[in-house]
Amino acid sequence: MKTINELQDIATQIRRDVLRMINSANSGHPGGSLDCADLFTALYFDIMDIEPKNYTREGRGEDMFFLSIGHIAPVWYSALARRGYFPVKELATLRQMGSRLQGHPSYHAKLEGVRAASGSLGQGMSVGVGAALTKKMNNDDKIVFTLHGDGEIEEGQIWEAAMFAGANKVDNLISIIDVNHAQIDGRTEQVCDSSSLKDKFIAFKWEVKECNGNDMQELVNTLKECKQACHKGKPVMLLMNTKMGFGVDFMLDDNGWHGKAPNDEQTAKALSQLKETLGDY
């Protein structure tokens, strides 16, 4: 069990990994990756019941995670490597020809920890519902987690899956929405207002929790509450409030960093704000 300070140190190193990976590839999505570093740290180093050395695609007897917003793959890759799914040094290959670390996660790349592709947005909740129902059929009491963006939920398939999950009491599912109010075209409230998310999911028969996703203590506590709410007749939704680019002052809350790689000077400036805690790859 990690302390909150240890989890914060891991999240800081993951943010360093993200910046260096995207800078080296000169391509990627730093904004959402940075703001979700705390979540991936909490999930993979505290909350989820997993064993990296025994990874299988089926995930029987352990919790499972599906990334629906596939473009923030760098933060997921870093968390997987730091947790022991594959060598940390492989992070240096992001988006290179022949690399398993593709721009969006792909199962066909055979990267340990990745169970489904997520290049197209909007599909992760459907995949998560299917995996959760499979666990029920197999009498497997572990939990399925999915992560979505508040811009991504403009996709209609999200709401079809949400309606199905609530109506069918898929209560071994925890879905998380990164509510950072930013997407590639601007602020979410200006592109397609997604306010009143809590009321929407309650109406769809979900149990809804909220927290500050960039406060490690609050995040861990709320995720534990989410797990405790499982197996009680409702799927669980966590509305996780974050700031895009969290951890780097000139990227903070700026949707311009949704999908732009920092240059060498910007990367050096960003890294100077993040202490190397576990050792760079």
Side-chain angles (χ1 to χ4, degrees), residues 178-197:
D178 177 21
V179 185
N180 63 16
H181 300 281
Q183 59 188 105
I184 195 167
D185 290 328
R187 304 293 292 179
T188 53
E189 52 266 31
Q190 296 170 338
V191 177
C192 187
D193 191 0
S194 58
S195 60
S196 303
L197 286 177

Side-chain angles (χ1 to χ4, degrees), residues 2 6 18 24 94 116 134 159 199 220 229 232 243 245 281:
K2 301 289 186 182
E6 288 172 332
V18 164
S24 179
L94 177 72
T134 299
W159 297 101
D199 293 339
V220 167
K232 295 181 179 179
K243 295 288 187 181
Y281 60 83

Side-chain angles (χ1 to χ4, degrees), residues 159 194-206 208 210 237 239:
W159 297 101
S194 58
S195 60
S196 303
L197 286 177
K198 182 176 181 179
D199 293 339
K200 288 181 172 70
F201 279 96
I202 288 175
F204 277 43
K205 301 180 181 179
W206 286 60
V208 181
E210 297 180 84
M237 171 57 66
L239 302 177

